[in-house]
Amino acid sequence: LLQSAPDAILLVDSEGFIRFANKQCENLFGYPTAKFSGMHVRRLIPDRYHQDHDGHRKEYMAHPTRRRM
């Protein structure tokens, strides 16, 4: 199901490392799908957002709830 989804889907662990990326991620970010595994999500986010994103990720991992992206 995740591979056939029309949207790009990344699964990221609590440390920020990508554990899964579907084919749409390849189309969106330009990396071959196999390259995503083990890549840090920061590589896909502009530098100016790194600190905020780290905080959001840590907060989510501490209190996982459904939230808007």
Side-chain angles (χ1 to χ4, degrees):
L1 290 173
L2 295 178
Q3 285 294 3
S4 62
D7 298 318
I9 298 172
L10 290 173
L11 300 180
V12 179
D13 69 16
S14 62
E15 300 300 316
F17 291 98
I18 299 170
R19 297 300 172 205
F20 172 84
N22 70 352
K23 186 71 173 170
Q24 291 302 326
C25 290
E26 183 176 311
N27 298 332
L28 180 64
F29 296 110
Y31 293 101
T33 305
K35 293 283 184 184
F36 284 102
S37 184
M39 178 189 293
H40 201 279
V41 73
R42 278 181 162 210
R43 192 165 178 182
L44 305 175
I45 299 170
D47 291 344
R48 67 182 180 268
Y49 297 119
H50 284 186
Q51 186 174 6
D52 288 343
H53 188 269
D54 288 347
H56 293 310
R57 188 184 72 251
K58 289 174 185 174
E59 174 65 23
Y60 176 79
M61 292 299 177
H63 306 286
T65 58
R66 190 170 110 168
R67 43 183 100 175
R68 196 174 221 188
M69 291 297 289

